[in-house]
Amino acid sequence: MIKRKDIFTKFTLLSLLVAMAFSMTAQPDGIKLSQPWVFSNSFEKGLFKAEMSIYDNSLSGLIIIKRTGETFRAVFVSEIGIKYFDIEIGSNETNDFTVHYILEMLNRKQITAFIEDTFRMLTMSFGETKKESSFLCDGSGNMVKVTKTQNHGKFRYDYHPNFGQVNTMIQFGFLKKTLINIELSEYDYLSPSLIVAKQKKMQLVLKQIEQ
Amino acid sequence: MKKYRLFLLFLLFSSGLIAQQTDSFSPMQDVEALKVEIKKVSENTQSIQSDFIQEKHLSMLEEVIVSRGHFLFRKENDVRWEYSSPINYAIVIYDGKFRIKNDEKISEFDIRSNALFQQINKMIVTAIRGDFVDNPEFEASFFESGKQYRVNLKALNKQVAEMLAGIEIFFSKETLAVERVMFIEPGEDYTNIIFNNRKVNIEITDKQFELTND
């Protein structure tokens, strides 16, 4: 009898915990979610003030991001005009990545991987939010959290259910360790005006200047 | 660090009036005479103040990033190179220090503590004395048109050559002031710097080389 009561108590507690966890709650049926985006379909190009920290060093200058047909191209130049890198990434499903130029001192595996991961995530195609993905809305209904398996690890992004603007993107690695975290804010109708991408000892901050 | 070296390189050839390169250039015959003249002008130049327009040409993107700013030079080696558009950014070399102001953040480096900054300092002094064309780090060739001289510099240093296929400096034949500098990268991209509103030998105070958060 006592044993059964214990089981009942545990079950009740578990139910409560599950209910609390989903109080943010699962996507209600019948609500049409917007397609998530970082750069809207109308985005053609943007000029950003850029600061890149690599361990104890930092680089600053301007990054121009331009949509060129099916791809995005990003060029980072210093204030005085020295080119740091020139990369291209496909916005299609293959998401091909090409380094057209990178300054020798930046041509290190960890640095190029950080640049690649950041721009892959920024320009990725999100696709439809499917019910199979795990997703939750917060209490106010202003955020949708989606978690997918991608690149052999979990990938999570948060976005506004009505407007589709993505606010956070996180790529997790082994044991849910955060590999890269991107915060996006101050959106206009084309793109975020502030992008902060962080990896363990590297960071890229972009502040939009003009379009 | 490399960017400071390049930045100072074009300061070496600072300033002049806007001019368009409309006529064709041919190799110069009397290069030594030009070197002597440039040196003479440099020796007589105590200070320079000028505005500049910097155009970064990105050929594959078919884009030009245009920056504008102002620069000051005062003998022996005080320099202020400042951008006002599209971002606020300044580099100052003054009182043995190399300072950078990026928005409201000011960073400072001691020139004497760093071999590169010492080299930069030396390069500026050399430039003001007018013998930069004999700089052993570059192979120079000289051309002239009806209105301008053009010096083509090719970097002999491997690290610099990796970033720059060449530098072209355009001088006014009339005043020997540098009117335009082109930094040509491997590939088709280049940076064009055009100087205007140039004034020489005006009074420039110490205060103008200070960087403050105002």
Side-chain angles (χ1 to χ4, degrees):
Chain A
M1 202 58 189
I2 292 167
K3 210 170 184 181
R4 186 181 289 178
K5 194 176 179 182
D6 278 354
I7 291 167
F8 178 76
T9 307
K10 282 179 183 173
F11 178 77
T12 307
L13 281 170
L14 188 64
S15 302
L16 276 170
L17 286 170
V18 170
M20 283 168 69
F22 281 84
S23 67
M24 291 181 70
T25 91
Q27 162 64 23
D29 287 335
I31 291 182
K32 176 75 177 169
L33 293 172
S34 290
Q35 177 85 9
W37 57 274
V38 173
F39 297 108
S40 80
N41 290 333
S42 304
F43 175 87
E44 292 178 0
K45 64 179 177 182
L47 184 63
F48 296 82
K49 178 177 167 61
E51 285 195 43
M52 189 173 179
S53 306
I54 304 163
Y55 296 89
D56 294 328
N57 301 303
S58 67
L59 302 169
S60 63
L62 299 167
I63 285 186
I64 185 166
I65 300 174
K66 186 172 183 178
R67 191 196 295 273
T68 52
E70 289 296 306
T71 67
F72 281 91
R73 195 139 175 184
V75 183
F76 185 13
V77 296
S78 74
E79 292 84 356
I80 61 171
I82 296 167
K83 192 162 57 183
Y84 293 134
F85 63 71
D86 175 354
I87 57 148
E88 186 170 9
I89 193 152
S91 59
N92 53 18
E93 285 182 2
T94 58
N95 222 209
D96 294 330
F97 182 78
T98 309
V99 178
H100 291 286
Y101 173 83
I102 188 161
L103 197 63
E104 185 55 37
M105 70 177 189
L106 296 177
N107 196 8
R108 306 285 181 269
K109 196 177 172 185
Q110 282 180 309
I111 300 172
T112 52
F114 173 63
I115 295 167
E116 178 176 348
D117 290 346
T118 299
F119 283 94
R120 269 191 194 287
M121 287 166 72
L122 290 176
T123 60
M124 68 178 280
S125 196
F126 289 91
E128 292 291 333
T129 301
K130 294 175 183 170
K131 285 194 174 179
E132 304 84 69
S133 328
S134 107
F135 59 90
L136 298 166
C137 293
D138 71 358
S140 65
N142 288 333
M143 188 192 292
V144 180
K145 293 175 185 284
V146 181
T147 305
K148 292 178 175 178
T149 300
Q150 183 172 297
N151 298 336
H152 313 293
K154 292 285 180 190
F155 173 68
R156 199 191 86 196
Y157 58 93
D158 307 340
Y159 73 98
H160 194 286
N162 299 328
F163 304 117
Q165 298 160 336
V166 176
N167 301 306
T168 309
M169 306 167 86
I170 305 172
Q171 177 69 56
F172 297 101
F174 183 62
L175 293 175
K176 251 195 148 187
K177 184 182 173 188
T178 300
L179 293 181
I180 186 163
N181 182 331
I182 304 179
E183 301 286 337
L184 311 109
S185 56
E186 298 174 27
Y187 272 86
D188 58 22
Y189 67 102
L190 294 172
S191 65
S193 295
L194 180 62
I195 300 171
V196 181
K198 288 180 185 170
Q199 213 191 33
K200 196 177 177 187
K201 292 191 173 176
M202 287 182 271
Q203 177 172 287
L204 178 64
V205 179
L206 304 180
K207 292 178 188 169
Q208 185 152 250
I209 297 170
E210 61 185 44
Q211 269 183 337
Chain B
M1 299 298 262
K2 287 176 188 171
K3 70 177 182 179
Y4 304 137
R5 192 194 305 243
L6 285 173
F7 159 71
L8 282 153
L9 197 59
F10 70 67
L11 285 183
L12 307 186
F13 315 117
S14 50
S15 203
L17 299 169
I18 293 177
Q20 297 298 320
Q21 182 193 355
T22 52
D23 39 8
S24 60
F25 285 82
S26 55
M28 276 191 70
Q29 302 301 317
D30 194 355
V31 172
E32 291 309 313
L34 174 62
K35 288 181 181 177
V36 169
E37 285 303 309
I38 290 173
K39 194 169 182 177
K40 199 186 293 178
V41 169
S42 296
E43 282 173 354
N44 292 330
T45 303
Q46 301 301 316
S47 66
I48 304 170
Q49 174 183 291
S50 177
D51 295 333
F52 65 85
I53 299 169
Q54 178 180 301
E55 302 168 339
K56 179 73 187 177
H57 291 254
L58 300 165
S59 58
M60 288 303 292
L61 284 180
E62 296 177 338
E63 292 289 338
V64 181
I65 301 174
V66 180
S67 305
R68 294 170 196 276
H70 184 76
F71 101 91
L72 303 171
F73 165 79
R74 185 179 67 177
K75 254 182 185 174
E76 290 293 325
N77 53 13
D78 301 331
V79 174
R80 182 178 183 123
W81 183 269
E82 184 164 24
Y83 294 88
S84 53
S85 167
I87 55 175
N88 293 316
Y89 183 88
I91 298 175
V92 167
I93 303 166
Y94 173 65
D95 196 24
K97 304 281 186 190
F98 195 105
R99 296 182 181 91
I100 294 173
K101 185 177 179 184
N102 191 355
D103 278 337
E104 295 307 308
K105 186 182 166 191
I106 297 174
S107 312
E108 183 175 292
F109 310 89
D110 189 340
I111 294 173
R112 284 161 295 194
S113 68
N114 186 298
L116 176 63
F117 290 142
Q118 281 180 4
Q119 189 185 346
I120 288 166
N121 205 27
K122 188 178 170 188
M123 283 170 69
I124 290 176
V125 174
T126 304
I128 299 310
R129 287 179 184 157
D131 49 6
F132 64 89
V133 286
D134 287 328
N135 190 324
E137 292 188 10
F138 293 91
E139 182 183 288
S141 47
F142 297 79
F143 303 85
E144 64 181 327
S145 68
K147 293 178 179 174
Q148 288 181 310
Y149 295 115
R150 191 183 80 206
V151 181
N152 289 8
L153 298 177
K154 188 177 175 186
L156 300 177
N157 179 294
K158 192 183 165 190
Q159 288 177 321
V160 178
E162 185 232 335
M163 290 185 283
L164 282 178
I167 302 169
E168 295 185 1
I169 306 152
F170 297 83
F171 296 84
S172 159
K173 268 192 163 177
E174 191 181 339
T175 63
L176 283 184
V178 173
E179 298 176 324
R180 187 160 69 97
V181 181
M182 270 180 81
F183 292 91
I184 304 160
E185 297 171 20
E188 296 175 10
D189 294 349
Y190 62 93
T191 304
N192 204 12
I193 299 176
I194 302 159
F195 297 97
N196 56 30
N197 298 327
R198 177 181 183 259
K199 292 173 184 168
V200 295
N201 295 335
I202 59 166
E203 186 186 358
I204 298 176
T205 64
D206 291 347
K207 198 171 174 59
Q208 289 174 271
F209 294 102
E210 290 172 7
L211 281 177
T212 53
N213 283 319
D214 42 24

